[in-house]
Amino acid sequence: MARAPRSARLLAGLFATAGVVHFAAPRQFDAIVPRSLPGGARTWTYVSGAAELGLAAAVALPATRRLGGLAAAAFFTAVFPANVKMARDWRERPAPLKAVAYARLPLQAPLVGWALKVAADARP
């Protein structure tokens, strides 16, 4: 089997790491789940962690890389409201933490672009 391009390997690694952390340390993610979502925050934390693990596999495998990249772009877009909630909730935190929360907002655009590039570079 051919080795995945570096960009796809890095994206898969990002998703795998984030997915594992959702299960290993869920409390930090529970706090940014928008209250408007039905059900409990922990459920959404686990669902998003499982989705990230699935995306890691999809991006890593050549046969599913194109679809995985497209799904990753959609995922990065879908979790943007959690980043907005975090930025709003952290307005009164110390400056370094507030900077992290605010920096996540514009970071979503290059993440979406990265995922779309991985999808575009995948061989049909």
Side-chain angles (χ1 to χ4, degrees):
M1 174 162 61
R3 187 172 162 173
R6 183 172 187 263
S7 185
R9 287 193 319 270
L10 290 171
L11 184 58
L14 173 73
F15 275 118
T17 300
V20 168
V21 173
H22 274 71
F23 289 97
R27 189 178 311 166
Q28 64 186 343
F29 298 102
D30 293 348
I32 65 171
V33 173
R35 290 179 191 89
S36 60
L37 291 175
R42 182 61 52 93
T43 300
W44 287 104
T45 295
Y46 288 157
V47 166
S48 62
E52 287 171 327
L53 293 171
L55 287 167
V59 168
L61 298 171
T64 56
R65 186 167 299 134
R66 184 172 188 74
L67 180 58
L70 294 173
F75 180 84
F76 284 135
T77 302
V79 300
F80 186 72
N83 294 344
V84 171
K85 181 181 184 311
M86 181 179 180
R88 289 189 60 173
D89 289 349
W90 287 27
R91 288 177 293 193
E92 305 303 321
R93 298 264 178 118
L97 294 176
K98 188 173 11 177
V100 167
Y102 289 151
R104 289 180 63 151
L105 298 173
L107 182 61
Q108 289 304 112
L111 289 173
V112 169
W114 182 17
L116 291 173
K117 175 90 169 86
V118 166
D121 291 347
R123 295 182 188 225

